[in-house]
Amino acid sequence: MSAISKYFHFEELGTDYRREILAGFTTFISMSYILFVNPNVLGAAKMDTGAVFTATALASALGCFLMGILARYPIATAPALGINAFFAYSAVIGMGISWQTALAGVFVASIIFVLITIFKLREIIIDAIPSDLKFAISAGIGLFIAFIGLHQGGLVVANKSTVVGLGSFTTASTWLTVVGLVVTAVLMVRRVPGAIFIGMVVTAVVGLVTGLIPVPHGIVSAAPSLKPTFGVALTHIGEINTLQMWVVVLTFLLVTFFDTAGTLVGLAQQAGFMKDNKMPRVGKALMSDSTAMLAGSVLGTSPVGAYVESSAGIAVGGRSGFTAVVTGILFIFGMFFSPLLAVITDQVTAPALIIVGVLMAQNLRQINWSHLEIAIPSFLIVVGMPLTYSISDGMALGLIMYPITMIAAKRGKEVHPIMYALFFIFIGFMWILNVK
């Protein structure tokens, strides 16, 4: 066991097995919903939901193992929300592309992803982003996941008159979120170790006792077969032969690229890994998620990327790759214990996401607000992520504005050439996303 702790640098990082295992559990619980959400979304594209369930679990586990063992970061991966909706509703249903061809598009995008990672293009781009904007990305992700938690927990709902509004407190499940939030907040203020995890457990127990969460009727179930989706991407590569399909491939590539870049930067800031505005071992982290995306396309799922819910594990003390390994193991077990995962409802995870949002928002104090050329693009990133419901869109707003404000402040020479390149790339990115 000492060899394992030495490999993951437990002593150097000030962590131990108990803390890392707890962090791995917390991260898994926070993101286990993807095992059910992803098959539901891709099922709309007529994909076999059972096969997608198994593919989601295996691709997530592989990404976690690679991120934990190769990059040694407490960051979990899974099929990304948002891009899976583009896969199902825009590419397949909207454009009339078969799911088999769309899956081939994910495979081609992942090959390009691996190549630009090997040539360190992604690493160069991440290093070129100024520290103030990196702090803005981290804070923006915090507001984004807090908004997700508020919405999933029923505290914030859609409103035709005001876009969003306060949820109804006549809904019993909303009170379950409130109870969980109060319990978690009190534990955090009292500095109780593992407060976020304990808060989730207490919320789940209250939900079961009050009947707001149904008691599972079983514990173990067999993992569904991968046969309907396995290898389909490889047999349909020849169908990537139209401009429309290349637009789809480019969308898969760009959204996953910037979503993952923003998430990695934000989580590295939260965990204190950034050194001299650079993320150590970022190349290995990027290779881990791009390899998982490639494997996921072959297994039969939409693009895989780093998950912001990893922040919940980091918040309870996860600092080494062992956290991600534990999360990966739990994804494997999750394939066989799916009835128990039904206990982890939106109301159970919502308080954790809100509290983690508070922790990540603390990065706002690191931004130089006294200089408008920095403050304006930073602000657009911070508010853009939750309001567009997209990490990549929020980054686009800020990184397009950054060179403009710096030139206006006569500081254009201080802008890295890569940032000027990103200005044009993001403009193209926004156009592609809005092409009909």
Side-chain angles (χ1 to χ4, degrees):
M1 296 294 278
S2 59
I4 295 175
S5 61
K6 185 176 180 180
Y7 177 81
F8 287 109
H9 302 291
F10 278 12
E11 186 175 344
E12 179 184 331
L13 295 169
T15 188
D16 52 44
Y17 285 109
R18 186 196 67 80
R19 188 174 299 175
E20 295 293 306
I21 292 171
L22 177 62
F25 265 103
T26 303
T27 295
F28 175 73
I29 288 175
S30 298
M31 62 187 289
S32 61
Y33 65 85
I34 195 62
L35 288 171
F36 302 100
V37 173
N38 203 44
N40 184 51
V41 172
L42 299 189
K46 305 301 181 185
M47 292 185 69
D48 183 280
T49 55
V52 174
F53 175 86
T54 303
T56 299
L58 291 175
S60 302
L62 175 63
C64 289
F65 291 146
L66 289 172
M67 190 69 76
I69 297 171
L70 179 63
R72 298 199 300 272
Y73 279 123
I75 298 173
T77 65
L81 286 174
I83 194 64
N84 62 353
F86 173 82
F87 180 105
Y89 300 112
S90 297
V92 177
I93 297 174
M95 299 180 186
I97 299 168
S98 71
W99 66 263
Q100 293 91 338
T101 305
L103 210 53
V106 176
F107 178 79
V108 172
S110 63
I111 290 292
I112 300 172
F113 222 29
V114 171
L115 290 175
I116 63 177
T117 302
I118 290 174
F119 289 105
K120 296 189 176 182
L121 179 59
R122 295 172 73 194
E123 188 173 344
I124 292 170
I125 290 173
I126 289 175
D127 287 343
I129 298 174
S131 59
D132 288 276
L133 299 191
K134 282 191 171 92
F135 285 119
I137 289 169
S138 182
I141 290 174
L143 295 186
F144 177 50
I145 62 175
F147 184 66
I148 292 174
L150 289 166
H151 175 62
Q152 289 181 345
L155 292 173
V156 170
V157 297
N159 186 299
K160 290 183 180 180
S161 301
T162 59
V163 184
V164 294
L166 188 65
S168 173
F169 288 99
T170 60
T171 305
S173 59
T174 302
W175 280 105
L176 184 58
T177 302
V178 172
V179 170
L181 181 59
V182 170
V183 169
T184 307
V186 169
L187 292 173
M188 288 292 292
V189 171
R190 299 292 297 175
R191 301 188 183 280
V192 175
I196 292 175
F197 181 78
I198 295 171
M200 284 192 278
V201 172
V202 170
T203 307
V205 171
V206 171
L208 289 169
V209 171
T210 58
L212 294 174
I213 298 176
V215 177
H217 297 293
I219 297 177
V220 179
S221 65
S225 172
L226 272 175
K227 187 176 180 180
T229 61
F230 185 78
V232 169
L234 301 177
T235 59
H236 287 76
I237 291 178
E239 296 169 17
I240 311 294
N241 55 11
T242 65
L243 178 60
Q244 183 187 52
M245 272 310 306
W246 279 107
V247 167
V248 170
V249 169
L250 196 56
T251 302
F252 285 144
L253 179 66
L254 288 174
V255 173
T256 309
F257 184 114
F258 292 114
D259 260 3
T260 300
T263 301
L264 287 176
V265 168
L267 296 175
Q269 289 280 21
Q270 179 193 3
F273 293 134
M274 301 297 286
K275 295 180 180 178
D276 299 322
N277 197 37
K278 292 187 177 182
M279 182 178 175
R281 306 184 305 283
V282 67
K284 292 181 179 179
L286 295 170
M287 183 56 74
S288 298
D289 80 81
S290 56
T291 303
M293 179 177 170
L294 179 63
S297 67
V298 176
L299 292 168
T301 186
S302 49
V304 173
Y307 251 60
V308 293
E309 283 82 359
S310 303
S311 56
I314 293 172
V316 299
R319 288 297 179 273
S320 81
F322 195 74
T323 291
V325 171
V326 171
T327 303
I329 292 171
L330 291 173
F331 267 114
I332 298 293
F333 278 113
M335 290 193 299
F336 306 100
F337 291 88
S338 58
L340 284 180
L341 295 178
V343 173
I344 311 302
T345 65
D346 287 345
Q347 290 74 31
V348 173
T349 58
L353 297 182
I354 296 167
I355 293 296
V356 170
V358 173
L359 299 177
M360 296 187 73
Q362 293 176 15
N363 284 291
L364 288 168
R365 68 173 180 266
Q366 305 292 342
I367 299 170
N368 189 348
W369 295 106
S370 60
H371 289 81
L372 284 177
E373 62 271 27
I374 298 296
I376 291 172
S378 297
F379 181 78
L380 288 175
I381 290 172
V382 171
V383 300
M385 289 184 183
L387 296 184
T388 63
Y389 216 73
S390 168
I391 292 171
S392 52
D393 288 352
M395 286 181 65
L397 293 176
L399 297 190
I400 288 173
M401 183 60 72
Y402 175 69
I404 296 173
T405 55
M406 288 295 283
I407 291 172
K410 298 181 180 180
R411 295 177 60 186
K413 291 182 180 179
E414 298 177 31
V415 178
H416 195 288
I418 292 290
M419 297 304 294
Y420 283 115
L422 285 179
F423 170 82
F424 293 103
I425 289 172
F426 270 114
I427 289 176
F429 169 67
M430 299 295 276
W431 178 82
I432 288 171
L433 287 184
N434 287 280
V435 77
K436 301 297 181 184

